[in-house]
C-alpha cells in the first residue's frame, strides 16, 4: 500500500501567528533579520550570511544582473537564471560583480536620429527619465547629449521631432573623465547643481552615469551585502546536466553561491552534481540543492553535501506541476517537516544546514509565517517579477501597467534541464504558465515595506531575530470562517462600493 500522511497538506494561508509578550525593546528598529545562507558547524560563524531573508528565484523573468545588484543593495541574494548559455550567464555574473556602487551603466539609450516618440516608448519601458544620446544608441557609444524631462514638452511638440533637435547637447553638459572616484563625482554634482553626471573615456564614449539621487540611496543602504573585496554578493543557478562546464565558468566570473535549479531534488542527478563539486572544489564552492518537501528528501541532500536545501514543489504562482503530475505538497506542511528534519540533523551532527522556502508566498505576512515555521530564508519569483529591476517588459493591459512573468516550465522558457529526468533534451509537457503580474514600481520601496511588516509582526510575537522567532513563535490553524473574519466584512467600503458580508 502507498504511505499516507495523516495530516492535510497545508498552505501558509491556513495559519496565523498568536501574539507573544512584547517588551519595550520590541520595536521595528531593533529587529535583526540577518540569516545564514550556507551550512556551518555548531559554534562557528557561517561563511555566508544575508542581511535580509530574501532571495530572487532562478528564473528568466526574474533574476538577471540588474536584479542581482538591486537585491544585493538591500541585503539579499539574486540567483541569476541558468536557462541560457554558459557564456551569457557568466557575463551577467561578471557584470554584477564588476558593478561599482554609484556608477550606473545606462540602460536608457537612444541615437540623435531617433524621435520624441522613441524617447517616450523607451521611458515607458525602463521607467527612467534620463536618456543618454549616443552616436549608435548604445550604452557605451560616443556621447552626444542627454534627454531629461526638462528637454521636451509633449503638448507642444510633434512626436516625430528628432532627438537631436531637443536634447541637451554635449557642449552644454558637465562631464567627468573615466577614473573619477565616486566622491569626486558627487562633489561635481553638488557643486554644479546638476542631477546626473556622465563619465566618459578619452574617446568621448559613455562609461557610466552618476545620479544625485543615488547618493542618498547609497548612504541609506546600510544592509547591502558585500564580499571581502567590497563587491556585491551574487548567486547563480546551475543544472544537473552541464554543471562540469557551467560551474567553472561561473566561479571564474565571480559567483559567490550556486543553487541547483530543479523541480525535484531527491534524485541521483543532484547527488552526482554535489559529489562532483566536493571532489573538484571541496568546501570552497557553496551549492544549495532541492527542491524537496519531506524529511527523507532533506536528509538525502544533507548527506550528499548540500550547503542549503530548498523546500517546495508546485506552490509557485506560475507552477502547474500539481495539476499536470499530481505531485507536491502544501508549502506550510513541507517547510514544517523539513525544518524539523534540519533540527534533528543539527542535533545529531552539529552541522546546521539552512533551508529556503521556495513558493507559496501570496501575502507579505506569509514571509513571516515561513520564517516562523523554520525557513532561514525565502525564494520569491512573482514578488520580484513585479518590479522595475526584473528583466521583463512593462506593458499596458486594459489600462493597467503589468509586467510579463512566465515559469521555467512554460513553453516560453522551455527550461527542460530544470525538469530533467534523464530522458531526451526536450520539455515533453508544460509545468508552468506564461502570464502577467501587476507592475509595482521599484524593488527598494517594495522590499522596505514588506520587511517593515515582517519586523512589525515579529515585534508582536515579542522577538527581535529570526532564530528567536523560530524558538518562540506560537501558531494556530484557522478555519474558513476565520478567513472571512480576518478581512473587511459587514461594511460598505468607500473605495470600491463592495458590500462585505
Amino acid at each position: 500500500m502507498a504511505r499516507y500522511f495523516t495530516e492535510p497538506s497545508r498552505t501558509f494561508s491556513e495559519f496565523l501567528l498568536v501574539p507573544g509578550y512584547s517588551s519595550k525593546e520590541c520595536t521595528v528598529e531593533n529587529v535583526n533579520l540577518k540569516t545564514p545562507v550556507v551550512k556551518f558547524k555548531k559554534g562557528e560563524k557561517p561563511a555566508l550570511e544575508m542581511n535580509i531573508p530574501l532571495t530572487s528565484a532562478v528564473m528568466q523573468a526574474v533574476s538577471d544582473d540588474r536584479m542581482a545588484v538591486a537585491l544585493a543593495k538591500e541585503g539579499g541574494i539574486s540567483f541569476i537564471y541558468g536557462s541560457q548559455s554558459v557564456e551569457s550567464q557568466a557575463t551577467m555574473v561578471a557584470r554584477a560583480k564588476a558593478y561599482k556602487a554609484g556608477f550606473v551603466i545606462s540602460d536608457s539609450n537612444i541615437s540623435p536620429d531617433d524621435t520624441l516618440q522613441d524617447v517616450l516608448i523607451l521611458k515607458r519601458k525602463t521607467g527612467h527619465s534620463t536618456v543618454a544620446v549616443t552616436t549608435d544608441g548604445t550604452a557605451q557609444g560616443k556621447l552626444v547629449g542627454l534627454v531629461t524631462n526638462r528637454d521636451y514638452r509633449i503638448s507642444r511638440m510633434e512626436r516625430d521631432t528628432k532627438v537631436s533637435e531637443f536634447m541637451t547637447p554635449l557642449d552644454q553638459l558637465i562631464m567627468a573623465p573615466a577614473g573619477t572616484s565616486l566622491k569626486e563625482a558627487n562633489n561635481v554634482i553638488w557643486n554644479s547643481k546638476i542631477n546626473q553626471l556622465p563619465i566618459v573615456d578619452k574617446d568621448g564614449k559613455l562609461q557610466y552615469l552618476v545620479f544625485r539621487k543615488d547618493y542618498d540611496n547609497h548612504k541609506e543602504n546600510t544592509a547591502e551585502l558585500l564580499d571581502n573585496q567590497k563587491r556585491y554578493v551574487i548567486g547563480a543557478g546551475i543544472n544537473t546536466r552541464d554543471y562540469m562546464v557551467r560551474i567553472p565558468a561561473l566561479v571564474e566570473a565571480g559567483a559567490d553561491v550556486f543553487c541547483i535549479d530543479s523541480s525535484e531534488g531527491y534524485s541521483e542527478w543532484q547527488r552526482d552534481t554535489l559529489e562532483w563539486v566536493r571532489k573538484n572544489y571541496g568546501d570552497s564552492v557553496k551549492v544549495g540543492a532541492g527542491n524537496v518537501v519531506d524529511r527523507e528528501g532533506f536528509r538525502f541532500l544533507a548527506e550528499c553535501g548540500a550547503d542549503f536545501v530548498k523546500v517546495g514543489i508546485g506552490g509557485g504562482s506560475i507552477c502547474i506541476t500539481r495539476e499536470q503530475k499530481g505531485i507536491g505538497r502544501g508549502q506550510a506542511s513541507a517547510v514544517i517537516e523539513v525544518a524539523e528534519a534540519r533540527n534533528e540533523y543539527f542535533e545529531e551532527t552539529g552541522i546546521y544546514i539552512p533551508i529556503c522556502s521556495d513558493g507559496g508566498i501570496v501575502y507579505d505576512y506569509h514571509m513571516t509565517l515561513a520564517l516562523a515555521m523554520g525557513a532561514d530564508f525565502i525564494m520569491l519569483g512573482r514578488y520580484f517579477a513585479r518590479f522595475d529591476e526584473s528583466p521583463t517588459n512593462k506593458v499596458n493591459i486594459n489600462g493597467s501597467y503589468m509586467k510579463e512573468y512566465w515559469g521555467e516550465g512554460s513553453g516560453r522558457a522551455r527550461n527542460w534541464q530544470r525538469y530533467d529526468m534523464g530522458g531526451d533534451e526536450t520539455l515533453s509537457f508544460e509545468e508552468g504558465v506564461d502570464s502577467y503580474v501587476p507592475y509595482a514600481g521599484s524593488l527598494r520601496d517594495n522590499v522596505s515595506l514588506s520587511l517593515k511588516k515582517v519586523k512589525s509582526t515579529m515585534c508582536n510575537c515579542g522577538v527581535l531575530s529570526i532564530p528567536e522567532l523560530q524558538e518562540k513563535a506560537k501558531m494556530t490553524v484557522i478555519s474558513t470562517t476565520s478567513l472571512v473574519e480576518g478581512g473587511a466584512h459587514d461594511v460598505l467600503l468607500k473605495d470600491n462600493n463592495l458590500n462585505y458580508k
Side-chain angles (χ1 to χ4, degrees), residues 384-451:
F384 286 112
R386 304 172 301 147
F387 303 151
D388 289 321
E389 294 80 2
S390 74
T392 63
N393 294 320
K394 183 173 76 171
V395 296
N396 191 303
I397 304 293
N398 298 325
S400 298
Y401 281 113
M402 312 287 283
K403 291 276 282 185
E404 295 178 314
Y405 180 45
W406 60 92
E408 289 295 293
S410 68
R412 183 170 184 173
R414 300 209 68 79
N415 182 4
W416 64 268
Q417 294 97 331
R418 188 176 198 277
Y419 302 89
D420 183 28
M421 297 296 287
D424 295 333
E425 298 181 4
T426 60
L427 191 67
S428 301
F429 54 89
E430 294 184 12
E431 294 189 43
V433 299
D434 198 342
S435 64
Y436 299 103
V437 289
Y439 168 66
S442 75
L443 178 147
R444 179 181 178 82
D445 291 342
N446 283 277
V447 166
S448 175
L449 178 59
S450 295
L451 293 182

Side-chain angles (χ1 to χ4, degrees), residues 26-27 30-35 53 368 371-372 454-455 458-459 461-473:
C26 289
T27 64
N30 288 338
V31 175
N32 183 350
L33 293 179
K34 181 167 284 192
T35 192
T368 320
L371 296 171
V454 171
K455 291 179 178 180
M458 290 172 65
C459 289
C461 294
V463 302
L464 295 174
S465 69
I466 294 173
E468 194 178 8
L469 174 67
Q470 293 168 350
E471 179 186 351
K472 296 182 178 180

Side-chain angles (χ1 to χ4, degrees), residues 290-360:
N291 288 18
V292 297
V293 294
D294 63 7
R295 180 175 275 97
E296 289 86 350
F298 171 85
R299 174 72 65 156
F300 172 79
L301 291 177
E303 293 175 350
C304 288
D307 284 294
F308 66 85
V309 172
K310 202 142 64 79
V311 182
I313 294 176
S317 62
I318 41 69
C319 183
I320 55 173
T321 294
R322 296 180 193 174
E323 291 180 23
Q324 293 281 55
K325 297 165 64 174
I327 192 168
R329 195 176 188 187
Q331 190 66 12
S333 295
V335 170
I336 291 169
E337 181 170 330
V338 173
E340 290 173 350
R342 185 265 321 276
N343 294 342
E344 291 167 2
Y345 188 83
F346 180 55
E347 288 295 319
E348 292 175 21
T349 66
I351 298 173
Y352 187 92
I353 301 178
I355 63 172
C356 168
S357 176
D358 177 20

Side-chain angles (χ1 to χ4, degrees), residues 42-231:
K42 188 174 184 178
E44 296 183 356
K45 182 179 173 65
L48 180 59
E49 295 177 292
M50 287 190 294
N51 294 322
I52 63 172
L54 304 182
T55 62
S56 68
V58 190
M59 299 177 69
Q60 295 174 11
V62 179
S63 299
D64 63 354
D65 51 305
R66 187 179 174 207
M67 176 64 72
V69 169
L71 187 49
K73 284 181 179 179
E74 303 308 313
I77 295 175
S78 182
F79 287 90
I80 293 176
Y81 71 93
S83 52
Q84 59 179 316
S85 70
V86 173
E87 295 75 19
S88 177
Q89 188 185 20
T91 298
M92 283 189 182
V93 170
R95 202 157 51 215
K97 293 299 291 187
Y99 182 90
K100 298 178 182 178
F103 291 89
V104 179
I105 296 176
S106 177
D107 61 357
S108 290
N109 309 287
I110 211 158
S111 77
D113 291 328
D114 288 321
T115 66
L116 174 59
Q117 179 66 16
D118 295 320
V119 171
L120 298 176
I121 292 172
L122 183 61
K123 183 180 175 181
R124 282 197 299 269
K125 180 180 178 181
T126 65
H128 302 316
S129 58
T130 298
V131 178
V133 187
T134 60
T135 52
D136 58 2
T138 66
Q140 294 184 320
K142 190 170 183 178
L143 185 68
V144 295
L146 286 180
V147 173
T148 68
N149 288 339
R150 295 181 300 178
D151 292 311
Y152 58 87
R153 204 105 176 254
I154 298 175
S155 60
R156 296 188 178 185
M157 294 173 61
E158 297 296 328
R159 298 297 179 99
D160 60 357
T161 305
K162 287 196 173 183
V163 170
S164 58
E165 297 180 31
F166 62 87
M167 70 182 186
T168 302
L170 194 67
D171 59 5
Q172 295 181 27
L173 293 177
I174 296 174
M175 298 175 290
T180 299
S181 71
L182 184 60
K183 182 177 181 180
E184 291 168 339
N186 281 317
N187 285 339
V188 172
I189 287 173
W190 288 103
N191 293 335
S192 304
K193 298 181 180 180
I194 55 178
N195 291 322
Q196 59 277 315
L197 178 70
I199 308 294
V200 297
D201 66 13
K202 58 183 176 61
D203 298 319
K205 291 184 177 181
L206 179 64
Q207 299 297 298
Y208 306 102
L209 291 171
V210 180
F211 293 93
R212 174 189 287 262
K213 63 181 176 62
D214 284 347
Y215 175 82
D216 292 332
N217 288 343
H218 180 62
K219 289 297 182 182
E220 293 172 4
N221 285 338
T222 56
E224 61 184 0
L225 194 60
L226 305 173
D227 65 15
N228 55 16
Q229 298 179 49
K230 304 299 182 183
R231 303 174 301 177

